Amino acid sequence: MNLQSYIRLLRLTQVLLLALCMPAAGLAATVLAQQAHDPLTLDAKLIVFSILVATAGALASVLLRLNIMVAAEAAKPLEERRPLVQPWLFIAANLVGSYVAGLAGFMMGRANQWEVWNSMFVILILSFMGAKALDIIGEKLLSVDRFKG
Amino acid sequence: MTPMPRYWMSRLMLSCWTGSTGLVIATRPDSITAHLLGFGSSVIGTLCVILLIVFALFGVADFFINDLLPDRYRLAIIEHRHWGFVGMVAVLLLISSAIAMRDGVTFLLLPYLLPAAFAAVISFIDIFARDRKTATA
């Protein structure tokens, strides 16, 4: 792995770590609330794990996108290969789509008082679909050439 | 892009770790986790445990055939193996959420959340570290 690849991987890891901040903060809040005997603990847990499951949906969609981008570069001869152009743009779009769709799934589950398995399964599927939808919209609307740098 | 050395060890360890967790749930229906997940009584709970074992078996098979055996033996899943790890992340998080809802946020979550985090990182690394031309470890 050359230096450019390492730098790319480090940037992506930074984005991933930033994306994990929200679930981690939620988890910390849950643990603190539980220690303080907060009566809303159940909802806090549900929110935290819904965010985590939605992040898994986003991860699947992000990897689908990155796999396409990396495979396209890998198909070229070694001297023509270039670093990925602003991959954070697609990662951010996927995360936003996933969380918005995951929120819709969460609200559906709460409104219908679904069992935890059904609720989480719907959130997982919806978050993947939401991430993919926003990824496709982003691909149509945003030209990555404008963000080269 | 050259393959990452010793990267196979992470994949093997993760596959064995999650596979053994799934096997314990599947073979000991009287265990706490099997009760919490509703193994045998809940369709999605049973499906999650079976999927966990299947993903782990794919990971181990990928290691034995693609990494350990000579080059003339090749399992075609090598180019799509990151999906196995993404599947592991999804299943482990579903299991964690079911445990958290029924038993609270306890240390019982660690054996599921930790491998989920590792699997997420490995699936990311696999996209970049795997050489698509030679497709080795």
Side-chain angles (χ1 to χ4, degrees):
Chain A
M1 189 180 273
N2 58 29
L3 187 63
Q4 277 187 335
S5 305
Y6 269 121
I7 292 169
R8 253 175 11 224
L9 199 57
L10 279 174
R11 281 180 183 162
L12 283 172
T13 313
Q14 283 171 353
V15 172
L16 197 67
L17 284 174
L18 282 174
L20 287 173
C21 278
M22 190 158 52
L27 193 63
T30 312
V31 173
L32 287 173
Q34 211 173 35
Q35 283 177 351
H37 303 291
D38 192 323
L40 292 175
T41 302
L42 182 68
D43 276 342
K45 275 187 299 189
L46 196 61
I47 291 166
V48 169
F49 279 94
S50 301
I51 292 170
L52 282 173
V53 170
T55 311
L59 177 76
S61 182
V62 164
L63 288 180
L64 196 63
R65 160 64 50 194
L66 286 177
N67 195 30
I68 293 167
M69 292 166 96
V70 174
E73 283 301 315
K76 296 175 187 171
L78 198 60
E79 61 275 9
E80 288 180 22
R81 290 185 194 177
R82 296 286 177 270
L84 301 182
V85 180
Q86 305 290 10
W88 57 265
L89 202 65
F90 286 103
I91 292 173
N94 277 285
L95 279 174
V96 170
S98 141
Y99 288 138
V100 170
L103 181 67
F106 178 81
M107 288 166 77
M108 277 165 63
R110 293 305 286 167
N112 297 311
Q113 294 290 314
W114 282 342
E115 205 233 348
V116 58
W117 279 124
N118 299 338
S119 181
M120 291 297 169
F121 191 69
V122 167
I123 289 171
L124 180 70
I125 300 295
L126 279 183
S127 63
F128 175 72
M129 287 167 64
K132 196 66 203 147
L134 216 66
D135 183 79
I136 292 167
I137 292 168
E139 194 180 18
K140 302 269 183 210
L141 295 182
L142 297 172
S143 165
V144 288
D145 291 341
R146 281 189 285 164
F147 296 94
K148 269 183 182 165
Chain B
M1 198 180 289
T2 52
M4 188 178 282
R6 302 287 175 234
Y7 164 55
W8 57 266
M9 200 180 280
S10 329
R11 287 186 282 113
L12 178 66
M13 279 175 65
L14 187 69
S15 301
C16 291
W17 188 1
T18 51
S20 56
T21 309
L23 279 174
V24 167
I25 301 169
T27 55
R28 296 303 302 263
D30 54 337
S31 65
I32 296 172
T33 321
H35 276 293
L36 288 172
L37 299 182
F39 183 75
S41 57
S42 161
V43 177
I44 301 180
T46 310
L47 191 69
C48 277
V49 175
I50 291 170
L51 277 175
L52 193 63
I53 297 169
V54 168
F55 288 138
L57 285 176
F58 271 120
V60 174
D62 171 55
F63 161 73
F64 271 108
I65 296 170
N66 292 325
D67 296 307
L68 212 61
L69 291 180
D71 284 348
R72 62 177 179 275
Y73 301 103
R74 184 63 58 92
L75 197 63
I77 59 168
I78 190 167
E79 287 176 16
H80 309 284
R81 67 184 174 201
H82 56 279
W83 291 117
F85 293 110
V86 176
M88 267 185 205
V89 176
V91 168
L92 286 167
L93 285 178
L94 284 176
I95 289 175
S96 306
S97 53
I99 292 173
M101 288 306 117
R102 289 164 182 176
D103 191 44
V105 181
T106 64
F107 286 117
L108 190 60
L109 289 173
L110 283 181
Y112 303 95
L113 288 179
L114 284 178
F118 280 121
V121 173
I122 284 180
S123 61
F124 239 82
I125 289 173
D126 197 55
I127 293 270
F128 290 91
R130 189 184 61 225
D131 192 315
R132 279 146 209 278
K133 290 283 171 63
T134 55
T136 58

